[in-house]
Amino acid sequence: MKRFTPAVVVAAVAVGGAFVGLAATRGRRRMKRVRRIVDGLAQQCGTPTAKLWLLADAMVGDMQAALSSSDGGKSTLRMLLSPHSSLPTGNEEGLFYGMDFGDTDIRFVRVKLGGMYGRVLDKQSIDIPVPSKLMVGSSQVGKDVLLELNEALEKHGVAMRVSTLVNDAVGALVGGRYSSSDIVAAVILGMGTNAGYIENAYAIPKWQVSLVKAEEMVYEKLVSGMYLGDIVRRILLKLAKETALLGNIIPPKLMIPFSLRYTVPDSSLMSREIVVEVCDIIARRSARLTAAGIVGILKKLGRDGTHQRSVVVVDGGLYEHYRLYRDYLHEAVKEMLHGKLSNNVIIKHDGCGTGAALLPATHSM
């Protein structure tokens, strides 16, 4: 009986080798399907310089149309006017407070200004998380937020009055202007996307008609942090369904909109690399589209690569905490302005809380 043992062993090895070969073949086929989908995604998300300039030019046209008509005309932009008779000069003195209402927390800022020579003598800030139950609903829609804030302060015996209400983009713009007169625009890149810039009154024909009370920043769903995660989730779900990239069982959480956090036990190195590649494709596309928007604003102001030094301040978690995103954005701006004195265009980070405190200071002088 012993003489048949080698044959049995050989047969077992041969069968095992067949299974290994079959698994390897399936793996290669699956990888081909994965690569076909990911390569197609990369191509669809491509943002060559020519396309970015088309976007920037279209944005300039939309901005001009929106500034010419109280209802926005045919523009996809709604330009919110935020009239201010003065901006910080550096001469402001006194103690001022500002509040920055974010999606997940509220930042309180306390600033002590010492005038032209003292500048910011002291600055303190604290972030307070917003309770989850207050993050949903629309209890303040249609209400005067300034009035509500002052009534709440009075109710709690706080000897303070809120004098100015601005959005985060205006706050960042004002804060930047305090330190440099070269600041021409501010962009917020966080859960939402918003931008503010300084426009000459003569360039706003609708100024004499009425003040627009609503704003809809164009391209927000293409670039905002609120949507980027869900775009990635949808792509990974497609890959999971069509290629079993994440295993034979699709992670249940992957099917929940706006919920990218999920756990995949025993994920392969290949699947993790694909996830990273997908995230990079979507982030790069977003950053380059945002760069086109920034260049569009600069072109509207006649500062898209001129001898004038032009600084754009940017704030928001997406820009502040995502280094690759920042790199892609800066790279695209330089690429678009290549040969047009692009070194005169500076993109830098700055917060909006200080600006909210500086506006009351300018009005008190």
Side-chain angles (χ1 to χ4, degrees):
M1 295 296 293
K2 291 182 179 180
R3 62 182 176 181
F4 294 106
T5 301
V8 173
V9 172
V10 171
V13 172
V15 171
F19 278 121
V20 170
L22 181 60
T25 300
R26 288 177 177 172
R28 285 194 294 270
R29 289 176 180 172
R30 182 178 65 175
M31 188 57 190
K32 285 183 178 179
R33 293 197 298 270
V34 170
R35 281 262 51 102
R36 184 170 62 251
I37 293 174
V38 174
D39 290 346
L41 172 70
Q43 184 176 5
Q44 292 174 348
C45 292
T47 51
T49 308
K51 183 179 289 187
L52 294 180
W53 268 112
L54 287 175
L55 182 60
D57 292 339
M59 184 169 176
V60 173
D62 279 348
M63 292 170 72
Q64 291 172 336
L67 291 174
S68 299
S69 173
S70 58
D71 61 3
K74 296 181 179 180
S75 174
T76 56
L77 282 171
R78 294 294 179 268
M79 303 290 281
L80 175 65
L81 304 181
S82 183
H84 294 285
S85 57
S86 60
L87 290 172
T89 62
N91 293 314
E92 293 79 10
E93 297 182 67
L95 187 62
F96 301 90
Y97 294 82
M99 291 184 290
D100 178 13
F101 292 88
D103 295 288
T104 57
D105 54 40
I106 300 175
R107 174 172 297 174
F108 291 86
V109 180
R110 179 181 182 272
V111 182
K112 186 175 183 181
L113 305 177
M116 179 61 72
Y117 299 103
R119 290 286 179 164
V120 179
L121 299 178
D122 184 50
K123 177 183 175 181
Q124 300 175 13
S125 67
I126 183 173
D127 293 341
I128 299 179
V130 177
S132 56
K133 65 180 180 180
L134 298 179
M135 291 184 186
V136 296
S138 54
S139 59
Q140 294 300 319
V141 174
K143 295 185 179 180
D144 187 332
V145 179
L146 203 61
L147 178 63
E148 297 275 324
L149 281 172
N150 284 319
E151 287 181 350
L153 289 171
E154 184 178 353
K155 179 181 177 180
H156 288 82
V158 180
M160 181 185 295
R161 182 171 183 79
V162 181
S163 63
T164 308
L165 181 68
V166 295
N167 66 14
D168 46 7
V170 175
L173 179 62
V174 171
R177 281 296 288 245
Y178 183 75
S179 59
S180 172
S181 60
D182 293 328
I183 305 291
V184 297
V187 179
I188 304 299
L189 295 174
M191 291 295 285
T193 303
N194 194 12
Y197 72 100
I198 302 170
E199 183 63 273
N200 293 314
Y202 68 79
I204 312 176
K206 72 177 183 182
W207 179 271
Q208 301 299 328
V209 181
S210 65
L211 295 182
V212 178
K213 296 183 179 180
E215 178 181 17
E216 183 180 316
M217 188 62 189
V218 76
Y219 312 127
E220 179 172 335
K221 292 188 177 181
L222 295 179
V223 300
S224 293
M226 181 176 182
Y227 303 99
L228 292 184
D230 205 55
I231 293 174
V232 171
R233 181 193 67 82
R234 288 168 179 257
I235 295 167
L236 295 182
L237 182 59
K238 176 182 176 68
L239 286 167
K241 287 180 176 179
E242 298 185 12
T243 70
L245 175 69
L246 303 176
N248 294 326
I249 299 177
I250 299 174
K253 290 185 178 180
L254 195 59
M255 293 182 279
I256 303 175
F258 296 99
S259 178
L260 187 57
R261 293 185 178 89
Y262 61 93
T263 301
V264 181
D266 303 321
S267 61
S268 68
L269 176 60
M270 182 202 74
S271 63
R272 294 195 295 271
E273 288 176 342
I274 291 296
V275 170
V276 171
E277 185 176 353
V278 169
C279 291
D280 188 68
I281 289 171
I282 298 305
R284 187 170 188 270
R285 164 183 171 271
S286 169
R288 289 175 67 82
L289 290 175
T290 303
I294 291 175
V295 172
I297 294 175
L298 292 173
K299 183 174 182 179
K300 173 67 175 64
L301 296 173
R303 287 173 171 261
D304 54 325
T306 66
H307 289 281
Q308 291 177 289
R309 185 173 185 270
S310 302
V311 181
V312 177
V313 295
V314 185
D315 192 22
L318 181 60
Y319 181 86
E320 183 179 358
H321 303 299
Y322 199 164
R323 181 185 59 79
L324 272 178
Y325 192 98
R326 292 198 305 272
D327 292 345
Y328 287 146
L329 189 152
H330 294 176
E331 175 188 78
V333 170
K334 291 287 186 182
E335 185 180 306
M336 292 182 70
L337 299 178
H338 178 68
K340 300 181 69 177
L341 300 177
S342 60
N343 289 335
N344 286 343
V345 173
I346 310 298
I347 312 292
K348 72 172 188 177
H349 174 255
D350 201 352
C352 61
T354 303
L358 287 171
L359 269 177
T362 63
H363 296 162
S364 66
M365 291 186 66

